[in-house]
Amino acid sequence: MTEINIDQIRFDEKGLVPVITQSYYSGKVLMQAYANREAILKTVETGFATYYSRSRNELWIKGETSGNKQRVVDIRVDCDGDSVLYLVVDYGVACHTGKESCFYRDIDFKEKEKPDPYEILHALYKKIEERKEKRPEGSYVAKLFSKGSDKIIQKVGEEAVETVIALKNRDKNEIVYEASDLVFHLLIALVDSGVKLEDIQEELLKRYK
Amino acid sequence: MTEINIDQIRFDEKGLVPVITQSYYSGKVLMQAYANREAILKTVETGFATYYSRSRNELWIKGETSGNKQRVVDIRVDCDGDSVLYLVVDYGVACHTGKESCFYRDIDFKEKEKPDPYEILHALYKKIEERKEKRPEGSYVAKLFSKGSDKIIQKVGEEAVETVIALKNRDKNEIVYEASDLVFHLLIALVDSGVKLEDIQEELLKRYK
């Protein structure tokens, strides 16, 4: 983000452009706000998401009061230059309600309970961390953590062998079930060993050529 | 999406609300456009993304001419009701340039070449499909496909065993490397057996309680 080309951004008659803010690692759309020229330049300069508040008519450095600053890894511009995307990390929560994302309700205005498919690995990872910490009764994951690391690692091996058998059987339903079990137990093992999902994503990016 | 509460959406003085369109399975932000009341109602009614074209001043059923319709799985509304998120599947490409997403350029207006971390599994899956089909020389994945399914399945087992050893060694770098290798080869095996990544995501969602 050293070089920028701000004159290609098409601000509207009020000097604003809509900004979408998305989590770089989970893909979650966190919020949608607006920026003027100064806000974009400030974001590039500081590395933290800056917007323009239409209600207060002023530059708005997100998290300046709440502490939930958004570190901007990348800024995208759409095909006709009139919409901007901030990709952020270390953002805490984006919504003033305390929710991670402002888009936490369906169009019936009821809160949605399940994560979306694109974010399922991150959602499961978080849930596993929670189970590890709180050890609720009846939780399979909590039980596994109580049995210790060897048991967790053993499960990774077991699920891998079951996946191999499913692949050999060429049974799609069985493959889906066993491969999911393998991924799920791999996530448990990652939590157990303190490896972040983000590190795996970065490593996989290196395999993309 | 049977019940809706459209009166809680806050349209602006022109009767419009910004709409962000996101891929339900990969998380990719595809485009940002606008909708009026009628466009939202039509989207709910038909199940296909409908917008309001500000340049043509008319309702715009995305893909009606290009064929790239967007099937809407879910509609989200943000905390203060003045921004909407369409979650879509089977969308082909969203951009008039033929790109999957309109946000294909960085703020320096140069095209970005690598996928973002949140979409890495889908990006790798696609790349593996491409390698399988085109078999370019020197490609590791192409070579593996030439050796056949048994070799691919064997690699899943091997990488799983290497992951188990890394986990036992409690070496974070080794774990990151081997777990990534395991996931990578699992993706190859899924492509080989015709299992979609989306099916694994849906199965994992069932494990989220």
Side-chain angles (χ1 to χ4, degrees), chain A residues 125 129 132 145 149 186-200, chain B residues 167 170-173 175-176:
Chain A
Y125 189 97
E129 282 185 312
K132 184 190 172 194
F145 275 108
S149 295
L186 185 60
L187 288 174
I188 299 173
L190 293 179
V191 170
D192 184 56
S193 51
V195 170
K196 297 246 161 292
L197 202 45
E198 288 82 346
D199 294 334
I200 307 285
Chain B
L167 288 164
R170 294 228 154 278
D171 177 322
K172 281 195 190 186
N173 290 336
I175 295 170
V176 168

Side-chain angles (χ1 to χ4, degrees), chain A residues 147-174:
Chain A
K147 287 182 183 163
S149 295
D150 269 12
K151 188 68 197 172
I152 291 169
I153 299 172
Q154 184 192 318
K155 284 300 292 178
V156 172
E158 269 178 45
E159 298 303 339
V161 170
E162 285 169 19
T163 302
V164 163
I165 292 169
L167 288 164
K168 273 302 287 176
N169 285 342
R170 295 227 153 279
D171 177 323
K172 281 194 188 185
N173 290 336
E174 193 188 339

